[in-house]
Amino acid sequence: MIKEGRLQRGSLNSEIYISKFRQVLLRHGLTMSLIAAVCVCVPFIPSVLFSSLSNLFIAPNKYFFWSFCVGIMILIFLKNTNRDLNLRQIFWIIYLFIISLVEEIAFRLSIPLIATEFFGTGLFWFYVFLSNILFASIHYFTLRWKIRACILAFLGGMAFSRVLESTEDLALLIILHWAITFLNTPSAPKIENLAMKN
């Protein structure tokens, strides 16, 4: 049996178990996208976003190459783990890219900077900490993750924040997030609810 990704992990209550693609889109995807959209509406964020993507505009071929490499890695992974590359799986891979984009815009780029703008620069990494706490908490409520997985999401978010702080390259971070998220959740959610346990 193929070991499924985080969305297929067991839940204490099967009635609230999140395993359908539609549930993920409405609960997780919509929530994260709305947060990112609100952040981008803050007046100074679009210019910061544009600046953080400047390397992509300067050398797009480099980022297309990295994205191509991630795509090849995904295909190899699917083949080696006996997963089918069907339409549902393709939509899932696209979804993982889009969610990586909106999560990085919202939680790594925008929220710490918005907090800094309103409350001062002295506590920047505290704002990063709070942003990633929010990031992990939203996964707990929208995807019904276990606390253990949410702690890992928080730690991963802090690592992503450090990468962004050191490189100032949001495009690179989105590609990295996409690759790691796929490896953590390689299988598209199923149509029916699953009863799998860890």
Side-chain angles (χ1 to χ4, degrees):
M1 177 181 293
I2 294 174
K3 181 177 173 58
E4 301 295 348
R6 62 189 176 200
L7 295 178
Q8 291 80 34
R9 290 172 179 159
S11 172
L12 296 177
N13 185 342
S14 61
E15 294 180 2
I16 61 171
Y17 189 42
I18 306 303
S19 63
K20 296 179 181 178
F21 207 153
R22 175 178 50 83
Q23 290 175 308
V24 175
L25 287 173
L26 292 177
R27 295 173 62 92
H28 179 246
L30 183 60
T31 300
M32 295 303 194
S33 297
L34 287 174
I35 293 170
V38 169
C39 289
V40 172
C41 289
V42 176
F44 69 92
I45 291 297
S47 62
V48 175
L49 176 59
F50 185 83
S51 176
S52 70
L53 295 172
S54 60
N55 289 337
L56 171 62
F57 303 133
I58 293 169
N61 290 343
K62 179 171 67 173
Y63 295 89
F64 291 143
F65 174 74
W66 288 342
S67 298
F68 176 77
C69 290
V70 172
I72 295 299
M73 177 272 295
I74 287 172
L75 293 176
I76 292 172
F77 184 93
L78 291 174
K79 181 173 178 59
N80 288 342
T81 55
N82 298 317
R83 290 176 168 87
D84 294 329
L85 185 63
N86 53 32
L87 190 59
R88 177 172 288 269
Q89 186 70 42
I90 291 170
F91 282 144
W92 180 242
I93 292 166
I94 294 170
Y95 172 76
L96 292 181
F97 176 80
I98 294 171
I99 203 66
S100 299
L101 172 72
V102 299
E103 287 180 349
E104 292 309 314
I105 290 174
F107 297 96
R108 254 59 74 183
L109 182 73
S110 301
I111 292 176
L113 292 179
I114 292 169
T116 298
E117 180 73 12
F118 283 96
F119 303 111
T121 59
L123 297 173
F124 175 75
W125 280 100
F126 177 68
Y127 305 141
V128 169
F129 175 85
L130 291 181
S131 180
N132 284 299
I133 287 286
L134 178 62
F135 171 72
S137 299
I138 289 171
H139 285 88
Y140 179 80
F141 291 106
T142 63
L143 295 179
R144 305 293 186 184
W145 280 7
K146 293 180 179 177
I147 291 293
R148 178 178 58 193
C150 293
I151 291 172
L152 292 176
F154 165 76
L155 294 175
M158 290 297 293
F160 286 153
S161 294
R162 182 67 183 92
V163 171
L164 182 60
E165 192 269 341
S166 63
T167 65
E168 299 182 352
D169 190 343
L170 187 65
L172 171 63
L173 190 55
I174 291 166
I175 295 169
L176 178 63
H177 188 151
W178 181 36
I180 292 173
T181 300
F182 171 78
L183 291 175
N184 192 32
T185 319
S187 295
K190 307 299 183 183
I191 297 173
E192 71 283 358
N193 283 326
L194 304 177
M196 296 177 62
K197 301 289 183 184
N198 279 343

